Amino acid sequence: AFTVIILGVIGARSFWIQGIQADDMATRPLLVRLPQTEPHRVNNPRLTAIAQRIPRGRILDSTGAVLAETRDGRRVYPCGEACAQLVGWLDARFGGPTGAEARYNRRLRGYDSTRDLLHLYRRKDLPFFRLPEGQDVTLTISREAQQRALRAIRRAYPNGNTAFVLIEPDSGHVLVAAGTPTFDPNQMNPALWQQLRTRKDAPLVFRPVDGLYAPGSVFKVVTAAAALEKGVPLRHLCRHSERNVRWKVGDKTFVKPRLSDHPSMRAHGTLGLRDAMRLSCNLYFAHLAIALQPESLYETASALGFQRIPKPDEMAPELPDCGFGQGKILASPLEVANLMATIARNGTWRRAVFTPGNNPSRPVLSDATAEALRQMLGEVVQTGTAYGIFTGTGWEVYGKTGTAETSEGNRKPHGWFAGVVQKDNLPPLAFALILEHGGSGREAARASRKILQQVLPVLQKR
Ligand SMILES: [Zn+2]
């Protein structure tokens, strides 16, 4: 079970929820989920004694490297700060178990419920009695890739907060989910805990999965997918800025006094979908959203796995903004990376997972739509907004920049880049990076290159 908590604010309100304060962080609301603590607390000291004698399983990465194990009665986390929020920690004094320690707690601890402990307690003096053992849990991530990603993130964006996700589309396995700020769970103590839970930059939040941000222009990929699927073609004359934009949803008419492209851009002139994507024209996608209507955009976004999309009636009053990923549209880095994975998979959707196992898929986009999107996103990298960034890497990359305006007018917008990278000897890999207040999608594309340069060589060895 997960609890939705809200971090960050619109305007001057502030929330204190589950002890985490964040009054001026983020921008748009950054919504996060934190795992609830164990529902079963063992209060009987005899049962506690039994529980403590059951060796707890280890948490391992995809190569068998240890992410968490018990040494001399103490839980240790060899991945350290690179996996802090993902692997989590056990200690109940510090809100534990959290992360994977919480999610797989039953398997790791070796018993299901207090009732199981009672059975064990009653049989403990019988001949041939043996205590059960906690099972190991294997995650899909790579410890070395996590650590390399964190180092590269810090070099690329030293003073900012970030989240990076890398997915193998063929399996849906999450190979990397890292970000900043972070901390070393091995160093946890009451003073550090107190600091972590009250810091305004919310280091306890697992940003790759639980951080929800305005996706900005990376969401144009979803709007384009909806238009291709529903057969809604559009050509539009972009004059950089428009006044009194009107649209209808059902029998309601809405008006927006002013709508414009990013200030650094000039008027794009008459555009079709390909050039609008390549040049990231907001006005085009605003009109495309109007042509699509909220129902179609909502349907496509939901099918692609976006869980925080406003319902069609909530979308209606801000439909043009929704078309380019602003308004009330929110997405996690994992959702954005999985959008790219879906395009790499020829339109087949599959959950992005942290443990291997049965992972059914379902078709959400046609082959033709997926192919058209790959072409367009290729042009973004070749001649569009991410032009030149990946030159000289020898990789094939397609992707989308995003510069997401935030409600804090005095802070820089978030920078996004999400795409697919193909390198010799590796399957295609989908990724997403957000630099909170990183300024622009181009900055995020540059940082993506630096992170991938560190991470891909380790994956090649698998
Ligand atoms: Zn434009």
Side-chain angles (χ1 to χ4, degrees), residues 238 261 268 271 281-283:
C238 164
D261 271 342
H268 290 119
L271 294 165
C281 175
N282 284 353
L283 296 178

Side-chain angles (χ1 to χ4, degrees), residues 37-273:
T37 46
E38 256 310 270
H40 296 284
R41 289 216 178 264
V42 182
N43 291 320
N44 181 326
R46 286 171 299 185
L47 299 188
T48 305
I50 285 270
Q52 282 170 349
R53 281 171 55 204
I54 304 173
R56 188 175 177 87
R58 298 172 301 171
I59 301 174
L60 306 172
D61 84 351
S62 61
T63 69
V66 174
L67 301 171
E69 70 179 350
T70 306
R71 287 184 207 151
D72 304 324
R74 195 166 164 259
R75 201 70 171 159
V76 294
Y77 300 99
C79 187
E81 57 183 359
C83 302
Q85 303 86 353
L86 196 172
V87 172
W89 57 94
L90 189 58
D91 199 327
R93 290 174 302 161
F94 311 126
T98 70
E101 290 272 39
R103 181 163 294 195
Y104 307 107
N105 194 24
R106 285 169 189 217
R107 267 158 73 187
L108 290 163
R109 73 188 181 183
Y111 64 91
D112 251 11
S113 63
T114 313
R115 182 190 292 263
D116 292 352
L117 290 177
L118 193 60
H119 284 305
L120 293 172
Y121 180 76
R122 285 182 181 142
R123 290 179 4 238
K124 71 177 171 28
D125 297 322
L126 296 176
F128 310 114
F129 173 76
R130 271 188 60 207
L131 273 175
E133 284 187 5
Q135 289 168 27
D136 290 348
V137 168
T138 298
L139 303 185
T140 54
I141 59 157
S142 151
R143 183 174 89 186
E144 198 181 348
Q146 287 280 125
Q147 291 177 326
R148 280 170 166 251
L150 179 61
R151 281 198 297 274
I153 284 167
R154 283 184 166 151
R155 276 200 299 270
Y157 195 48
N159 300 314
N161 303 332
T162 58
F164 177 75
V165 176
L166 185 71
I167 297 173
E168 181 182 72
D170 291 350
S171 58
H173 290 180
V174 179
L175 307 183
V176 179
T180 50
T182 187
F183 56 92
D184 185 354
N186 297 298
Q187 307 295 320
M188 196 67 97
N189 61 56
L192 175 63
W193 172 238
Q194 186 55 28
Q195 191 220 84
L196 291 172
R197 63 206 289 255
T198 53
R199 254 168 62 182
K200 288 178 178 173
D201 58 353
L204 296 175
V205 172
F206 185 31
R207 282 175 161 73
V209 175
D210 297 327
L212 286 175
Y213 305 89
S217 296
V218 293
F219 197 75
K220 287 171 184 167
V221 180
V222 176
T223 310
L228 292 165
E229 285 292 299
K230 314 283 178 191
V232 177
L234 179 73
R235 289 189 72 74
H236 182 71
L237 172 60
C238 164
R239 301 180 195 271
H240 184 73
S241 160
E242 279 178 52
R243 289 191 185 279
N244 297 323
V245 178
R246 278 170 194 277
W247 67 99
K248 275 188 84 167
V249 176
D251 53 4
K252 282 189 186 147
T253 302
F254 301 92
V255 185
K256 190 164 168 113
R258 188 167 182 273
L259 201 57
S260 65
D261 271 342
H262 192 269
S264 69
M265 292 174 180
R266 275 178 278 173
H268 290 119
T270 301
L271 294 165
L273 183 59

Side-chain angles (χ1 to χ4, degrees), residues 290-341:
I290 292 169
L292 277 165
Q293 291 287 292
E295 203 70 54
S296 298
L297 188 54
Y298 178 82
E299 191 187 304
T300 301
S302 302
L304 286 164
F306 289 89
Q307 296 187 336
R308 284 273 160 186
I309 301 304
K311 296 272 186 294
D313 59 321
E314 298 169 83
M315 222 188 254
E318 51 179 28
L319 187 54
D321 300 79
C322 292
F324 52 90
Q326 298 277 169
K328 288 196 188 70
I329 303 274
L330 291 172
S332 71
L334 188 77
E335 288 173 345
V336 172
N338 207 23
L339 163 68
M340 293 298 164

